[in-house]
Amino acid sequence: MSNPNTLTPGQATARFGEFTVIDVRTPGEYAGGHLPGAHNVPLDRLDEAADALRAASARTPLLIVCASGARSAKGCARLADLGVEAATLAGGTGAWAADGHPVERPAGARTTWPMDRQVRLAAGSLALLGFLAGLAWPPAHWLSGAVAAGLVFSGVTNTCGMAVLLAKLPHNRPSEQAVPFQETLARLTA
């Protein structure tokens, strides 16, 4: 890999015991399957967890993980801005599992679609709805245009407002069995 802070699943496996693993997906995605021993610190809560992550990184290197590697790369960049060094797992949990490495799933946990799939479904549905509604009421075509503009903005800025909104839906929130966020922070600082 050209980025020394990016590890392949094979490289991460060889050094797995050295890392504190941080999964930056939503709690729902995390519950659907995560690397063994990973702590769930959603991407939108990294700033809030900065002190705990700094403390954890002082003891062991951090390995940041998501579904595909995109959010974990953003997480590493954000942590670097906060003065916390971390590595990302290339290909994320998907590549890890595809290579045959173990994935933990809490008993009875529901499997939530990865956020990028949720965004594609929501954006596609809204665009289709705008198109179909526009056949009966032409101003409804603006809905499709607004979705397209949002996707272009997302691509240019590498941010996703729709993902932020979808992350707040009940199926993406922690279950009753999930470790509370404050307890995760306490474990990281211990």
Side-chain angles (χ1 to χ4, degrees):
M1 297 262 124
S2 61
N3 181 352
N5 291 330
T6 300
L7 301 175
T8 65
Q11 292 169 323
T13 300
R15 298 178 47 205
F16 195 72
E18 298 175 26
F19 292 107
T20 298
V21 181
I22 307 297
D23 192 316
V24 295
R25 296 176 298 161
T26 66
E29 290 175 290
Y30 172 83
H34 54 271
L35 273 64
H39 301 276
N40 186 216
V41 179
L43 186 61
D44 64 347
R45 298 190 82 175
L46 281 181
D47 286 356
E48 185 180 346
D51 290 338
L53 293 169
R54 193 173 289 109
S57 72
R59 290 188 308 280
T60 61
L62 299 181
L63 179 63
I64 310 299
V65 181
C66 67
S68 67
R71 283 178 281 175
S72 59
K74 287 176 73 172
C76 284
R78 180 62 192 137
L79 288 174
D81 291 345
L82 297 170
V84 179
E85 188 176 328
T88 184
L89 180 64
T93 306
W96 177 268
D99 278 2
H101 302 298
V103 176
E104 290 181 349
R105 287 182 178 84
R110 62 188 183 265
T111 300
T112 301
W113 285 359
M115 188 55 66
D116 64 322
R117 186 174 180 190
Q118 293 181 49
V119 168
R120 290 192 311 265
L121 176 67
S125 297
L126 288 171
L128 181 60
L129 177 66
F131 173 77
L132 293 175
L135 295 174
W137 186 58
H141 281 129
W142 284 103
L143 176 60
S144 298
V147 170
L151 291 171
V152 169
F153 179 81
S154 177
V156 169
T157 63
N158 199 25
T159 62
C160 187
M162 188 175 289
V164 171
L165 293 174
L166 290 172
K168 299 190 183 312
L169 292 176
H171 65 274
N172 284 321
R173 307 209 35 102
S175 69
E176 287 99 34
Q177 300 94 344
V179 174
F181 186 68
Q182 293 304 324
E183 186 176 328
T184 297
L185 297 181
R187 289 179 182 182
L188 289 170
T189 56

